[in-house]
Amino acid sequence: MASGGWQEHKLTMRISQQIEKPRCAAILIGSGRNNQRRGMAPGERIFVDRLIAHGDELGAVYEEIDRKLQAHPSAIHCLLASIVRAAVLCSEFGVLRGKTSRSPDALSVKGRGVSGSFAQALRADFGKAMFAVIELNSMRNGGVLPVGFMLSDAAVGTLAKYVLETTLPVA
C-alpha cells in the first residue's frame, strides 16, 4: 500500500472508531428514554446511567461490540440489554448474599472453584451470567446474536468492574 493510501486507511480507521464508539452509548441513551416511559427497573436505570457516564472508559468494550456485531445491528441492542440485566442480577445476588451472611468468612467462595473474596465471586458470577445470556440470545437458541459470538475476557472484566463499583438501592 502506498504511503498516501496507508495514511488514508489510518484516517478512515480513526474516523470509523469515532463513529462506532458512540453507537453503543446512543443505543443505551435511547433505551433509557424509551424504557422510562415503559417503566425501566430502577436497577437497570442505574446501570444504564453508569455505562453512559463512563462511556470514555468503556470505549474499548464498545469498539469490540461494534466491530464484532456491525453486521447485526439488532444484536447490539440485545447484547447491551443483556449486559444491563446480567449486571442487575449479579448486584442483587451480591446484596442478598451480603444480607444473609453473618460473618465475613461466609463471603468467601472456597469450594466454588474460585478462591478469594466476595468481590471476586461477584465478578465470576457476572462473567458466568454474561456467557449464559450470550448463549441464550444466540441464533442457535432463537436469538439475534451470531452463533459463536463472544466478548473477550478483557471486555467482560471491564464490565464486571462497573458491576462491583455500583451499589443498587436496597429494598
Coordinates of all heavy atoms in Angstrom, one line a residue, residues 12-97:
T12 N -9.3 6.7 7.9 CA -10.6 6.1 7.8 C -10.8 5.2 9.1 O -11.9 5.3 9.6 CB -10.7 5.2 6.6 OG1 -10.4 6.0 5.4 CG2 -12.0 4.5 6.4
M13 N -9.8 4.5 9.5 CA -10.0 3.7 10.7 C -10.3 4.6 12.0 O -11.1 4.2 12.8 CB -8.7 2.8 11.0 CG -8.5 1.7 10.0 SD -9.8 0.5 10.1 CE -9.6 -0.2 11.7
R14 N -9.6 5.7 12.1 CA -9.8 6.6 13.2 C -11.2 7.2 13.2 O -11.9 7.2 14.2 CB -8.7 7.7 13.2 CG -8.3 8.1 14.6 CD -7.2 9.1 14.6 NE -6.2 8.7 13.6 CZ -5.4 9.5 12.9 NH1 -5.5 10.8 13.1 NH2 -4.5 9.1 12.0
I15 N -11.6 7.6 12.0 CA -13.0 8.1 11.9 C -14.0 7.1 12.2 O -15.0 7.3 12.9 CB -13.2 8.7 10.5 CG1 -12.3 10.0 10.3 CG2 -14.6 9.0 10.2 CD1 -12.3 10.5 8.9
S16 N -13.8 5.9 11.7 CA -14.8 4.8 11.9 C -14.8 4.5 13.4 O -15.9 4.2 13.9 CB -14.5 3.6 11.1 OG -13.4 2.9 11.5
Q17 N -13.7 4.5 14.1 CA -13.7 4.2 15.5 C -14.4 5.3 16.3 O -15.2 5.0 17.2 CB -12.3 4.1 16.0 CG -11.6 2.8 15.6 CD -10.2 2.8 16.0 OE1 -9.6 3.8 16.4 NE2 -9.6 1.6 15.8
Q18 N -14.3 6.6 15.8 CA -15.0 7.6 16.5 C -16.5 7.5 16.2 O -17.3 7.9 17.1 CB -14.5 9.0 16.0 CG -13.1 9.3 16.5 CD -12.5 10.5 15.8 OE1 -13.1 11.1 14.9 NE2 -11.3 10.9 16.2
I19 N -16.9 7.1 15.1 CA -18.3 6.9 14.8 C -18.9 5.7 15.5 O -19.9 5.8 16.1 CB -18.5 6.7 13.2 CG1 -18.2 8.0 12.5 CG2 -19.9 6.3 12.9 CD1 -18.1 7.9 11.0
E20 N -18.1 4.6 15.6 CA -18.6 3.4 16.2 C -18.7 3.5 17.7 O -19.6 3.0 18.3 CB -17.7 2.2 15.9 CG -17.8 1.7 14.5 CD -16.8 0.6 14.2 OE1 -16.1 0.2 15.1 OE2 -16.8 0.2 13.0
K21 N -17.8 4.2 18.3 CA -17.7 4.3 19.8 C -19.0 4.8 20.4 O -19.5 4.2 21.3 CB -16.5 5.1 20.2 CG -16.3 5.2 21.7 CD -15.1 6.0 22.0 CE -14.9 6.2 23.4 NZ -13.8 7.1 23.7
P22 N -19.5 5.9 19.8 CA -20.8 6.4 20.5 C -22.0 5.6 20.2 O -23.0 5.9 20.8 CB -20.9 7.9 19.9 CG -19.8 8.1 19.0 CD -19.0 6.8 18.9
R23 N -22.0 4.7 19.2 CA -23.2 4.0 18.8 C -23.7 3.2 20.0 O -24.9 3.2 20.3 CB -22.9 3.0 17.7 CG -24.2 2.2 17.3 CD -24.2 1.5 16.0 NE -23.0 0.8 15.8 CZ -22.8 0.0 14.7 NH1 -23.8 -0.1 13.8 NH2 -21.7 -0.6 14.5
C24 N -22.9 2.5 20.8 CA -23.4 1.8 22.0 C -24.0 2.8 23.0 O -25.0 2.5 23.6 CB -22.3 1.0 22.6 SG -21.8 -0.4 21.7
A25 N -23.3 3.9 23.2 CA -23.8 4.9 24.1 C -25.2 5.5 23.6 O -26.1 5.7 24.4 CB -22.8 6.1 24.3
A26 N -25.3 5.7 22.3 CA -26.5 6.2 21.8 C -27.6 5.2 22.0 O -28.8 5.6 22.3 CB -26.3 6.6 20.3
I27 N -27.3 3.9 21.8 CA -28.3 2.9 22.0 C -28.8 2.9 23.5 O -30.0 2.8 23.8 CB -27.8 1.5 21.5 CG1 -27.7 1.5 20.0 CG2 -28.7 0.4 22.0 CD1 -26.9 0.3 19.5
L28 N -27.8 3.0 24.4 CA -28.1 3.0 25.8 C -29.0 4.2 26.2 O -30.0 4.1 26.9 CB -26.8 3.0 26.6 CG -26.1 1.6 26.6 CD1 -24.7 1.8 27.2 CD2 -26.9 0.6 27.4
I29 N -28.6 5.4 25.6 CA -29.4 6.6 25.9 C -30.8 6.4 25.4 O -31.8 6.7 26.1 CB -28.7 7.8 25.3 CG1 -27.4 8.1 26.1 CG2 -29.7 9.0 25.3 CD1 -26.5 9.1 25.3
G30 N -30.9 5.9 24.2 CA -32.3 5.7 23.6 C -33.1 4.7 24.4 O -34.3 4.8 24.6
S31 N -32.4 3.6 24.8 CA -33.2 2.6 25.6 C -33.6 3.1 26.9 O -34.7 2.8 27.4 CB -32.3 1.3 25.8 OG -31.3 1.5 26.7
G32 N -32.8 4.0 27.5 CA -33.2 4.6 28.8 C -34.4 5.5 28.6 O -35.3 5.5 29.4
R33 N -34.4 6.3 27.5 CA -35.6 7.2 27.3 C -36.8 6.3 27.0 O -37.9 6.6 27.6 CB -35.3 8.1 26.1 CG -34.3 9.2 26.4 CD -34.2 10.1 25.3 NE -33.1 11.0 25.5 CZ -32.2 11.4 24.6 NH1 -32.3 10.9 23.3 NH2 -31.2 12.2 24.9
N34 N -36.7 5.3 26.2 CA -37.9 4.5 25.8 C -38.4 3.7 27.0 O -39.6 3.6 27.2 CB -37.5 3.5 24.7 CG -37.3 4.2 23.4 OD1 -37.8 5.3 23.1 ND2 -36.6 3.6 22.5
N35 N -37.5 3.2 27.8 CA -37.9 2.4 28.9 C -38.4 3.2 30.1 O -39.1 2.7 31.0 CB -36.7 1.5 29.4 CG -36.5 0.3 28.4 OD1 -37.5 -0.1 27.8 ND2 -35.3 -0.1 28.2
Q36 N -38.0 4.5 30.2 CA -38.6 5.3 31.3 C -40.1 5.4 31.1 O -40.8 5.4 32.1 CB -37.9 6.7 31.2 CG -36.7 6.8 32.0 CD -36.1 8.3 32.0 OE1 -36.3 9.0 31.0 NE2 -35.4 8.6 33.0
R37 N -40.5 5.5 29.9 CA -41.9 5.6 29.6 C -42.6 4.3 29.9 O -43.7 4.2 30.3 CB -42.2 6.0 28.1 CG -41.9 7.4 27.9 CD -42.2 7.8 26.4 NE -41.0 8.4 25.9 CZ -40.4 8.1 24.8 NH1 -40.9 7.2 24.0 NH2 -39.3 8.7 24.4
R38 N -41.9 3.2 29.7 CA -42.5 1.8 29.9 C -42.1 1.3 31.3 O -42.5 0.2 31.6 CB -42.0 0.9 28.9 CG -42.6 1.1 27.5 CD -42.1 0.1 26.5 NE -40.7 0.4 26.2 CZ -40.0 -0.3 25.4 NH1 -40.5 -1.4 24.8 NH2 -38.7 0.0 25.2
G39 N -41.4 2.1 32.1 CA -41.1 1.6 33.5 C -39.9 0.8 33.6 O -40.0 -0.4 34.1
M40 N -38.7 1.3 33.2 CA -37.5 0.5 33.4 C -37.2 0.3 34.9 O -37.5 1.2 35.7 CB -36.3 1.4 32.8 CG -34.9 0.7 33.0 SD -33.6 1.8 32.4 CE -33.4 1.1 30.7
A41 N -36.8 -0.9 35.2 CA -36.5 -1.2 36.6 C -35.4 -0.2 37.1 O -34.5 0.1 36.4 CB -36.0 -2.6 36.8
P42 N -35.5 0.2 38.4 CA -34.5 1.2 38.9 C -33.1 0.7 38.8 O -32.2 1.5 38.5 CB -35.0 1.3 40.4 CG -36.4 0.9 40.5 CD -36.6 -0.1 39.4
G43 N -32.9 -0.6 39.1 CA -31.5 -1.1 39.0 C -31.0 -1.0 37.6 O -29.8 -0.7 37.4
E44 N -31.8 -1.3 36.6 CA -31.4 -1.2 35.2 C -31.1 0.3 34.9 O -30.1 0.5 34.2 CB -32.5 -1.7 34.3 CG -32.7 -3.2 34.4 CD -33.7 -3.8 33.4 OE1 -34.4 -3.0 32.7 OE2 -33.9 -5.0 33.4
R45 N -31.9 1.2 35.3 CA -31.7 2.6 35.1 C -30.3 3.0 35.6 O -29.6 3.8 35.0 CB -32.8 3.4 35.7 CG -32.7 4.9 35.5 CD -33.2 5.3 34.2 NE -32.1 6.0 33.5 CZ -31.9 6.0 32.2 NH1 -32.7 5.4 31.4 NH2 -30.9 6.6 31.7
I46 N -30.0 2.5 36.8 CA -28.7 2.9 37.5 C -27.5 2.4 36.6 O -26.6 3.1 36.4 CB -28.6 2.3 38.9 CG1 -29.6 3.0 39.8 CG2 -27.2 2.3 39.4 CD1 -29.8 2.3 41.2
F47 N -27.6 1.2 36.1 CA -26.5 0.6 35.3 C -26.5 1.3 33.9 O -25.4 1.6 33.4 CB -26.6 -0.9 35.1 CG -26.0 -1.6 36.3 CD1 -26.8 -2.2 37.2 CD2 -24.7 -1.6 36.5 CE1 -26.3 -2.8 38.3 CE2 -24.1 -2.2 37.6 CZ -25.0 -2.8 38.5
V48 N -27.6 1.6 33.3 CA -27.6 2.3 32.0 C -26.9 3.7 32.2 O -26.1 4.1 31.4 CB -29.0 2.5 31.4 CG1 -29.0 3.4 30.3 CG2 -29.5 1.1 31.0
D49 N -27.3 4.4 33.3 CA -26.7 5.7 33.5 C -25.2 5.6 33.8 O -24.4 6.4 33.3 CB -27.4 6.4 34.7 CG -28.8 6.8 34.5 OD1 -29.2 6.9 33.3 OD2 -29.5 7.1 35.4
R50 N -24.8 4.5 34.5 CA -23.4 4.3 34.8 C -22.6 4.0 33.5 O -21.5 4.6 33.3 CB -23.2 3.2 35.8 CG -21.8 3.0 36.2 CD -21.8 2.4 37.6 NE -20.4 2.2 38.1 CZ -19.6 3.1 38.6 NH1 -20.0 4.3 38.6 NH2 -18.4 2.8 38.9
L51 N -23.2 3.2 32.6 CA -22.5 2.9 31.4 C -22.4 4.1 30.5 O -21.4 4.3 29.8 CB -23.2 1.7 30.7 CG -23.2 0.4 31.3 CD1 -24.1 -0.6 30.6 CD2 -21.8 -0.2 31.4
I52 N -23.4 4.9 30.5 CA -23.4 6.2 29.7 C -22.3 7.1 30.3 O -21.5 7.7 29.5 CB -24.8 6.8 29.6 CG1 -25.7 6.0 28.8 CG2 -24.7 8.2 29.1 CD1 -27.2 6.4 29.0
A53 N -22.3 7.3 31.6 CA -21.4 8.2 32.2 C -20.0 7.8 32.0 O -19.1 8.7 32.0 CB -21.7 8.3 33.7
H54 N -19.7 6.6 31.9 CA -18.3 6.1 31.8 C -18.0 5.6 30.4 O -17.2 4.7 30.2 CB -18.1 5.0 32.8 CG -18.1 5.5 34.2 ND1 -17.0 6.1 34.8 CD2 -19.1 5.5 35.1 CE1 -17.4 6.4 36.0 NE2 -18.6 6.1 36.2
G55 N -18.7 6.2 29.4 CA -18.5 5.8 28.0 C -17.1 5.9 27.5 O -16.6 5.0 26.8
D56 N -16.3 6.9 28.0 CA -14.9 7.0 27.5 C -14.1 5.9 28.1 O -13.3 5.3 27.4 CB -14.3 8.3 28.0 CG -14.9 9.5 27.3 OD1 -15.4 9.4 26.2 OD2 -14.7 10.7 27.8
E57 N -14.3 5.5 29.3 CA -13.6 4.4 29.9 C -14.0 3.0 29.3 O -13.2 2.1 29.3 CB -13.8 4.3 31.4 CG -13.3 5.6 32.1 CD -14.0 5.8 33.5 OE1 -14.0 4.8 34.2 OE2 -14.4 6.9 33.8
L58 N -15.2 3.0 28.8 CA -15.7 1.7 28.2 C -15.5 1.7 26.7 O -16.0 0.8 26.0 CB -17.2 1.6 28.5 CG -17.5 1.3 30.0 CD1 -19.0 1.5 30.3 CD2 -17.1 -0.1 30.4
G59 N -14.8 2.7 26.2 CA -14.6 2.8 24.7 C -14.1 1.5 24.1 O -14.6 1.1 23.0
A60 N -13.1 0.9 24.7 CA -12.6 -0.4 24.1 C -13.7 -1.5 24.0 O -13.7 -2.2 23.1 CB -11.4 -0.8 24.9
V61 N -14.5 -1.5 25.1 CA -15.6 -2.5 25.1 C -16.6 -2.2 24.0 O -17.0 -3.1 23.2 CB -16.3 -2.6 26.5 CG1 -17.5 -3.5 26.5 CG2 -15.3 -3.0 27.6
Y62 N -17.0 -0.9 23.9 CA -17.9 -0.5 22.9 C -17.4 -0.8 21.5 O -18.1 -1.2 20.6 CB -18.3 0.9 23.0 CG -19.1 1.3 24.3 CD1 -19.2 2.6 24.7 CD2 -19.8 0.3 25.0 CE1 -20.0 2.9 25.9 CE2 -20.5 0.6 26.1 CZ -20.6 1.9 26.6 OH -21.4 2.2 27.7
E63 N -16.1 -0.5 21.3 CA -15.5 -0.7 20.0 C -15.5 -2.2 19.6 O -15.7 -2.6 18.5 CB -14.1 -0.2 20.0 CG -14.0 1.3 19.9 CD -12.6 1.9 20.1 OE1 -11.6 1.2 19.9 OE2 -12.5 3.1 20.4
E64 N -15.2 -3.1 20.6 CA -15.2 -4.5 20.4 C -16.7 -5.0 20.0 O -16.8 -5.7 19.1 CB -14.8 -5.3 21.7 CG -14.8 -6.8 21.5 CD -14.4 -7.5 22.7 OE1 -13.6 -7.0 23.5 OE2 -14.8 -8.7 22.8
I65 N -17.7 -4.5 20.7 CA -19.0 -4.8 20.4 C -19.4 -4.4 19.0 O -19.9 -5.2 18.2 CB -20.0 -4.2 21.4 CG1 -19.8 -4.9 22.8 CG2 -21.5 -4.3 21.0 CD1 -20.5 -4.1 23.9
D66 N -19.1 -3.1 18.7 CA -19.3 -2.6 17.3 C -18.6 -3.4 16.2 O -19.2 -3.8 15.2 CB -19.0 -1.2 17.2 CG -20.0 -0.3 17.8 OD1 -21.2 -0.6 17.8 OD2 -19.6 0.8 18.2
R67 N -17.3 -3.7 16.5 CA -16.5 -4.5 15.5 C -17.1 -5.9 15.3 O -17.3 -6.3 14.1 CB -15.1 -4.5 16.0 CG -14.1 -5.2 15.0 CD -12.7 -5.2 15.5 NE -12.5 -6.1 16.6 CZ -12.4 -5.8 17.9 NH1 -12.3 -4.5 18.2 NH2 -12.2 -6.7 18.8
K68 N -17.5 -6.5 16.3 CA -17.9 -7.9 16.2 C -19.4 -8.0 15.7 O -19.8 -9.1 15.2 CB -17.8 -8.6 17.5 CG -16.3 -8.9 17.9 CD -16.2 -9.6 19.2 CE -14.7 -10.0 19.5 NZ -14.6 -10.8 20.8
L69 N -20.2 -7.0 16.0 CA -21.6 -7.1 15.7 C -22.1 -6.1 14.6 O -23.3 -5.9 14.4 CB -22.5 -6.9 16.9 CG -22.3 -8.0 18.0 CD1 -23.1 -7.7 19.2 CD2 -22.7 -9.4 17.4
Q70 N -21.1 -5.4 13.9 CA -21.5 -4.4 13.0 C -22.5 -4.9 11.9 O -23.3 -4.1 11.4 CB -20.3 -3.7 12.4 CG -19.5 -4.6 11.5 CD -18.2 -3.9 11.0 OE1 -18.0 -2.7 11.2 NE2 -17.3 -4.7 10.4
A71 N -22.4 -6.1 11.5 CA -23.3 -6.7 10.5 C -24.7 -7.1 11.1 O -25.5 -7.5 10.4 CB -22.7 -7.9 9.9
H72 N -24.8 -7.0 12.4 CA -26.0 -7.4 13.1 C -26.5 -6.3 14.1 O -26.4 -6.4 15.3 CB -25.8 -8.7 13.9 CG -25.2 -9.8 13.1 ND1 -25.9 -10.6 12.4 CD2 -23.9 -10.2 13.0 CE1 -25.1 -11.5 11.8 NE2 -23.9 -11.3 12.1
P73 N -27.0 -5.2 13.6 CA -27.4 -4.0 14.5 C -28.3 -4.4 15.6 O -28.2 -3.9 16.7 CB -28.0 -3.0 13.5 CG -27.5 -3.4 12.1 CD -27.2 -4.9 12.2
S74 N -29.3 -5.3 15.3 CA -30.2 -5.6 16.4 C -29.5 -6.5 17.5 O -30.0 -6.4 18.6 CB -31.4 -6.4 15.8 OG -31.0 -7.6 15.2
A75 N -28.5 -7.1 17.1 CA -27.7 -7.9 18.1 C -27.0 -6.9 19.1 O -26.9 -7.3 20.3 CB -26.7 -8.8 17.4
I76 N -26.6 -5.8 18.6 CA -26.0 -4.8 19.6 C -27.0 -4.4 20.6 O -26.7 -4.4 21.8 CB -25.5 -3.6 18.8 CG1 -24.3 -4.0 17.8 CG2 -25.0 -2.5 19.8 CD1 -23.8 -2.9 16.9
H77 N -28.2 -4.1 20.2 CA -29.3 -3.8 21.2 C -29.5 -4.9 22.2 O -29.6 -4.7 23.4 CB -30.6 -3.5 20.5 CG -30.6 -2.2 19.7 ND1 -31.1 -1.0 20.2 CD2 -30.3 -1.9 18.4 CE1 -31.0 -0.1 19.3 NE2 -30.5 -0.6 18.2
C78 N -29.6 -6.1 21.7 CA -29.8 -7.3 22.5 C -28.6 -7.5 23.5 O -28.9 -7.7 24.7 CB -29.9 -8.5 21.6 SG -30.0 -10.1 22.5
L79 N -27.4 -7.3 23.0 CA -26.3 -7.5 23.9 C -26.2 -6.5 25.0 O -26.0 -6.8 26.2 CB -25.0 -7.5 23.1 CG -23.7 -7.7 23.9 CD1 -23.7 -9.1 24.6 CD2 -22.5 -7.5 23.1
L80 N -26.4 -5.2 24.6 CA -26.4 -4.2 25.7 C -27.5 -4.4 26.7 O -27.2 -4.2 27.9 CB -26.6 -2.8 25.0 CG -25.4 -2.3 24.2 CD1 -25.7 -1.1 23.4 CD2 -24.1 -2.2 25.0
A81 N -28.7 -4.8 26.3 CA -29.8 -5.1 27.3 C -29.4 -6.3 28.1 O -29.6 -6.3 29.3 CB -31.1 -5.4 26.5
S82 N -28.7 -7.2 27.6 CA -28.3 -8.4 28.3 C -27.2 -8.1 29.3 O -27.2 -8.6 30.4 CB -27.7 -9.5 27.4 OG -28.8 -9.9 26.5
I83 N -26.3 -7.1 29.0 CA -25.2 -6.7 29.9 C -25.9 -6.0 31.1 O -25.5 -6.3 32.2 CB -24.3 -5.7 29.2 CG1 -23.4 -6.5 28.2 CG2 -23.4 -4.9 30.2 CD1 -22.6 -5.6 27.2
V84 N -26.9 -5.2 30.8 CA -27.5 -4.5 31.9 C -28.3 -5.5 32.8 O -28.2 -5.4 34.1 CB -28.5 -3.4 31.4 CG1 -29.4 -2.8 32.5 CG2 -27.7 -2.3 30.7
R85 N -29.0 -6.4 32.2 CA -29.7 -7.4 33.0 C -28.8 -8.2 33.9 O -29.1 -8.5 35.0 CB -30.6 -8.2 32.1 CG -31.8 -7.5 31.6 CD -32.8 -8.4 30.9 NE -33.6 -7.5 30.1 CZ -33.6 -7.5 28.7 NH1 -32.7 -8.2 28.1 NH2 -34.4 -6.7 28.1
A86 N -27.7 -8.7 33.3 CA -26.7 -9.5 34.0 C -26.1 -8.7 35.1 O -25.9 -9.3 36.2 CB -25.6 -10.0 33.0
A87 N -25.9 -7.5 34.9 CA -25.3 -6.6 36.0 C -26.3 -6.5 37.1 O -25.9 -6.6 38.3 CB -24.9 -5.2 35.4
V88 N -27.5 -6.2 36.8 CA -28.5 -6.1 37.9 C -28.7 -7.4 38.7 O -28.7 -7.4 39.9 CB -29.9 -5.6 37.3 CG1 -31.0 -5.6 38.3 CG2 -29.8 -4.2 36.7
L89 N -28.8 -8.5 37.9 CA -29.0 -9.8 38.6 C -27.8 -10.1 39.5 O -28.0 -10.5 40.7 CB -29.2 -10.9 37.6 CG -30.5 -10.9 36.9 CD1 -30.5 -11.9 35.8 CD2 -31.6 -11.1 37.9
C90 N -26.6 -9.8 39.1 CA -25.4 -10.1 39.9 C -25.3 -9.2 41.1 O -25.0 -9.6 42.2 CB -24.1 -10.0 39.0 SG -23.9 -11.4 37.9
S91 N -25.7 -7.9 40.9 CA -25.7 -7.0 42.0 C -26.7 -7.3 43.1 O -26.5 -7.3 44.3 CB -25.9 -5.6 41.5 OG -24.8 -5.1 40.8
E92 N -27.9 -7.7 42.6 CA -29.0 -8.1 43.5 C -28.6 -9.4 44.3 O -28.8 -9.5 45.5 CB -30.3 -8.3 42.8 CG -30.9 -7.0 42.3 CD -32.1 -7.2 41.4 OE1 -32.4 -8.4 41.1 OE2 -32.8 -6.2 41.1
F93 N -27.9 -10.3 43.5 CA -27.4 -11.5 44.2 C -26.4 -11.2 45.2 O -26.4 -11.7 46.3 CB -26.8 -12.5 43.1 CG -26.3 -13.7 43.7 CD1 -27.1 -14.7 44.3 CD2 -24.9 -13.9 43.6 CE1 -26.5 -15.8 44.8 CE2 -24.4 -15.1 44.1 CZ -25.2 -16.1 44.7
G94 N -25.5 -10.2 44.9 CA -24.5 -9.8 45.9 C -25.1 -9.2 47.1 O -24.7 -9.4 48.2
V95 N -26.1 -8.4 46.9 CA -26.8 -7.7 48.1 C -27.4 -8.8 48.9 O -27.3 -8.8 50.2 CB -27.9 -6.7 47.6 CG1 -28.8 -6.3 48.8 CG2 -27.2 -5.5 47.0
L96 N -28.1 -9.8 48.3 CA -28.7 -10.9 49.1 C -27.7 -11.7 49.8 O -27.9 -12.1 50.9 CB -29.6 -11.8 48.1 CG -30.8 -11.1 47.6 CD1 -31.5 -12.0 46.5 CD2 -31.8 -10.9 48.7
R97 N -26.6 -12.0 49.1 CA -25.5 -12.8 49.7 C -25.0 -12.1 50.9 O -24.7 -12.7 51.9 CB -24.5 -13.1 48.7 CG -23.4 -14.1 49.1 CD -22.3 -14.2 48.2 NE -22.7 -15.1 47.0 CZ -21.9 -15.2 46.0 NH1 -20.7 -14.6 45.9 NH2 -22.2 -16.0 45.0

